Amino acid sequence: MDRLKTLFKERFTSSAEEIKSLVKSYGTKIIDSVQIEQVYGGMRGIQSMLWETSSLDSNEGIRFRGYSIPELRERLPKINGATEPLPEGLFWLMLTDKLPTEEDVTWLSKEWQRRAVLTPKEYDLLDHLDSVIHPMTQFSMAIMCMQSESVFAHQYENGMTKAEYWDVMYEDCMNLIAKLPLVAAYIYRKTFYNNEQISADPNLDWSANFAHMLGKDDSAFKDLMRLYMTIHADHEGGNASAHTVHLVGSTLSDAYLSLSAGINALAGPLHGLANQEVMDWIYDMIRDLGTNTPSKEQIAEYVKTTLSHGVVVPGYGHAVLRKPDPRFLAQKDFAEKHCPQDAMVQIVWNVFEVVPPILESLGKVKNPWPNVDAHSGALLEHYGMKEHNFYTVMFGVSRALGVLAQLCWDRAYNLPLERPKSLTTEEIKLFLANSNN
Ligand code: HAX
């Protein structure tokens, strides 16, 4: 058994024991109650699912196993001359609840390189994905195409006990994470670079190799990828992509089927596609205003026009957060160090000054602040990635780390089929009539 798997087994075995006794002693205690407006309002704030890898505070933002983003940037190992942490380290932390050493991260980089092999049949399937299909749809289909490689599905068909689920799920998740940069870069080069593919570099870490296969060998871009892949990885379990993976996985669908479903959720404009929408919105603004350097006053007018058309300002607002997203701030910090004079970065910063008071003045927006998607496109574009409709694929590669680490936990705990109870409006009215009597 490999070193990460061994540590994970030790960790979940003691955790599972603890949960058993916790449920036995306190199983009937009430942790939350549900209001009617939550039933109609997208279940906001209902605390009803387990997610071990990260936790989201509405004011402070995300913590991965207790560590904030600034703490992770400080404390996760940086190897190969990196100035940003490697997402390998975050995956290790999410799975074992321990900060890894440089040696651990080096091992994991090599292990993912070792597993990053596509079969000729998989390449053939990728080649048949038409380039007119949105890259996010291609990405989801590509993950489905790899599903015949699932160790979990194969073992399930041949018969295995519940106690073995975690083991084969770990294998699937490690294989899938290893292959995702390869698949995403393949789609990128096929769609935008006439199928001129770039081979992997076995000496690079996971993110740097992804950058390399995309065709971007700038060392600052490699660092951006390390940061990007770390901060987008997980955002607790209630967000649409994470929740979808967890839900589909609870039916004992394997990691490929579950992740592909989560990628479809991420592809929505209110979720991950917002990173594409932000850049498209800025370009529309530049075109409509007829200037590449709009003033704050011009931006404010454009925001008001956008709102008057009844559409949302992409990159702003959040279902949980009530402060500027620390993932936005981490990217802003990166831009301040690497490209403060970039014209698009300047626009993003001006939008940051202008939008919150306008959204606040509407009196209905609960969070007027920027989320993770408000900044990422400007940084990618600075390093020459101008294909906006590929941005959400990059988000998806990163999001896989968190949701697949949690999927390992789901099977380690043998969490049951997820099946909440729904209500009809008739039942709600009946409940109200009875409670008013
Ligand atoms: N622009 C304009 N109006 C907004 C808004 C925005 N950025 N954010 C919220 N509102 C509006 C809502 O549309 C809603 O209006 P109605 O009552 O007329 O329907 C009202 O304010 C209350 O919404 P809320 O409670 O503040 O927000 P929700 O929890 O319902 O929705 C969203 C959260 C993220 C979906 C929302 O803020 C939004 O649409 N933002 C823009 C899209 C975006 O950036 N999505 C990415 C979010 C982060 C993420 O998942 N990244 O992947």
Side-chain angles (χ1 to χ4, degrees), residues 159-206:
M160 67 174 156
T161 66
K162 267 185 160 188
E164 292 167 289
Y165 289 172
W166 75 271
D167 189 318
V168 278
M169 183 56 87
Y170 172 90
E171 294 302 324
D172 270 356
C173 291
M174 290 284 278
N175 290 338
L176 192 40
I177 291 169
K179 291 177 186 183
L180 288 176
L182 202 63
V183 169
Y186 198 89
I187 291 170
Y188 180 70
R189 301 290 306 181
K190 183 170 71 68
T191 306
F192 304 109
Y193 287 85
N194 206 23
N195 207 12
E196 288 158 14
Q197 300 295 336
I198 299 170
S199 305
D201 179 343
N203 299 313
L204 294 175
D205 51 88
W206 190 71

Side-chain angles (χ1 to χ4, degrees), residues 44 266 269-272 274 307 311-319 359 364-367 371-373 395:
R44 293 290 180 284
L266 194 68
L270 296 187
H271 193 12
L307 293 170
V311 290
V312 295
V313 180
Y316 283 76
H318 200 272
L359 288 185
K364 64 172 184 178
V365 182
K366 296 195 189 68
N367 177 39
N371 57 57
V372 66
D373 299 315
F395 192 159

Side-chain angles (χ1 to χ4, degrees), residues 23-56:
V23 173
K24 193 166 174 221
S25 307
Y26 305 108
T28 55
K29 279 218 175 292
I30 290 172
I31 211 164
D32 205 356
S33 53
V34 178
Q35 294 155 0
I36 287 174
E37 64 181 8
Q38 291 174 301
V39 175
Y40 285 101
M43 299 190 284
R44 293 290 180 284
I46 300 174
Q47 302 180 88
S48 59
M49 68 183 286
L50 186 73
W51 198 264
E52 299 287 34
T53 48
S54 68
S55 167
L56 183 59

Side-chain angles (χ1 to χ4, degrees), residues 41 44 232 235 239-241 266 268-275 277-278 303 306-307 310-322 325 327 355 359 362-374 392 395 399:
R44 293 290 180 284
H232 285 79
H235 216 225
N239 69 77
S241 51
L266 194 68
L270 296 187
H271 193 12
L273 200 80
N275 59 9
E277 299 273 297
V278 165
V303 170
T306 300
L307 293 170
V311 290
V312 295
V313 180
Y316 283 76
H318 200 272
V320 179
L321 285 168
R322 296 296 175 255
D325 190 334
R327 301 171 300 174
V355 167
L359 288 185
L362 298 179
K364 64 172 184 178
V365 182
K366 296 195 189 68
N367 177 39
W369 299 108
N371 57 57
V372 66
D373 299 315
T392 319
F395 192 159
R399 182 49 54 99

